[in-house]
Amino acid sequence: MSKTTAIFNQNHDEGPWYKHRWPWLLMLGPFAVVIAGSITMWIAVTQQDALVVDDYYKQGKAINQDLRRDRVATDLGVQFSAHYDTPTRILSGSISNKAKQAIGDISVRLIHATIPEKDIVLLIQPDKAGHFSVALPMLDLGRWQVLVENEKRDWRLNGIWTWPAQRSFAIEADEQ
């Protein structure tokens, strides 16, 4: 047997392929992709898409009604301002209008940007001067959409509150 044949046989007589680490190392990448793809598929199938609207046509029609409510708020000149006191967990503020009409009970909805289960609805009964104070649990950090409307849902105000960057916020009806 020649030297070349002896070296060749010496390199390949170390055992079967599965006893070497390089084939396993090379298979690790595709295996990781298969596992990650399976996990992604499981998440996609089991979790609900909170941002997708089931009946977009009805919501599109409802937008026109909401725009009418925005115009009513503008005509009345409604203004809402609030301050959140963290130690006492109290949201206090005032609501007024330029028409000097009685405000009545108010609903304030704090809408979480991505998780509907974290939305908060506050029922506020302002005094005759329009001042109010209501308990509010500790909020998650982030951007909250604020929707203020009267109990009859004749008008509404929309705004954004970035908590905790803003301790206070104000929403005014758009000027015409």
Side-chain angles (χ1 to χ4, degrees), residues 45-169:
V45 170
T46 60
Q47 302 295 320
Q48 179 183 1
D49 290 334
L51 301 177
V52 178
V53 177
D54 288 338
D55 194 353
Y56 61 89
Y57 180 73
K58 277 186 179 178
Q59 284 218 345
K61 288 173 57 177
I63 288 173
N64 290 336
Q65 292 176 344
D66 288 342
L67 294 175
R68 180 192 54 80
R69 294 180 356 174
D70 290 344
R71 285 190 291 273
V72 171
T74 300
D75 293 343
L76 292 174
V78 181
Q79 298 175 338
F80 178 85
S81 63
H83 173 77
Y84 185 54
D85 186 29
T86 310
T88 61
R89 295 187 178 176
I90 298 289
L91 181 71
S92 58
S94 65
I95 185 161
S96 63
N97 63 48
K98 293 178 183 173
K100 303 294 182 200
Q101 292 182 346
I103 297 288
D105 292 347
I106 301 297
S107 169
V108 176
R109 289 194 306 178
L110 300 173
I111 303 167
H112 192 272
T114 57
I115 305 171
E117 291 81 27
K118 293 189 176 186
D119 293 356
I120 299 171
V121 177
L122 303 171
L123 298 175
I124 296 174
Q125 297 174 334
D127 61 13
K128 291 183 180 182
H131 300 287
F132 64 88
S133 181
V134 65
L136 176 63
M138 185 56 75
L139 296 174
D140 287 348
L141 303 178
R143 182 180 166 148
W144 292 82
Q145 181 180 355
V146 181
L147 180 68
V148 180
E149 56 191 2
N150 66 343
E151 63 184 337
K152 295 177 185 174
R153 299 187 65 170
D154 295 333
W155 54 263
R156 74 168 190 169
L157 294 175
N158 247 331
I160 301 296
W161 181 24
T162 307
W163 170 255
Q166 297 174 311
R167 301 273 180 195
S168 301
F169 65 98

